[in-house]
């Protein structure tokens, strides 16, 4: 088992979870307050970053078994 692949999978799952949470916040918030916008941007950017990093780690790590 390669630790980089496992870490990449964990980052991918965290990214997907953060993006789902962002979508949930976007759909459930009715007012466009400043605090809600900050939360949406923060969770969305972190979700995209984790997702992209995880996918990149999984794709570029070679299987050495």
């Amino acid at each position: 088992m390669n630790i980089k692949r496992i870490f990449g999978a964990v980052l991918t799952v965290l990214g997907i979870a953060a993006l789902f949470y962002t979508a949930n916040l976007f759909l459930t918030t009715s007012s466009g307050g400043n605090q809600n916008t900050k939360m949406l941007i923060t969770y969305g950017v972190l979700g995209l970053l984790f997702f992209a990093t995880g996918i990149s780690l999984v794709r570029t790590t070679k299987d050495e078994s």
Side-chain angles (χ1 to χ4, degrees):
M1 270 192 172
N2 198 345
I3 195 75
K4 283 186 181 180
R5 276 190 173 257
I6 294 171
F7 189 62
V10 169
L11 281 176
T12 304
V13 170
L14 282 174
I16 290 171
L19 290 173
F20 278 148
Y21 185 66
T22 303
N24 187 24
L25 280 177
F26 181 72
L27 292 176
T28 58
T29 55
S30 59
S31 63
N34 192 20
Q35 186 69 23
N36 291 336
T37 306
K38 285 182 184 179
M39 286 177 50
L40 284 172
I41 291 172
T42 303
Y43 290 132
V45 168
L46 284 177
L48 284 174
L49 182 70
F50 283 0
F51 183 73
T53 305
I55 292 293
S56 175
L57 269 176
V58 170
R59 288 181 65 199
T60 59
T61 305
K62 296 179 183 175
D63 268 339
E64 296 176 5
S65 50

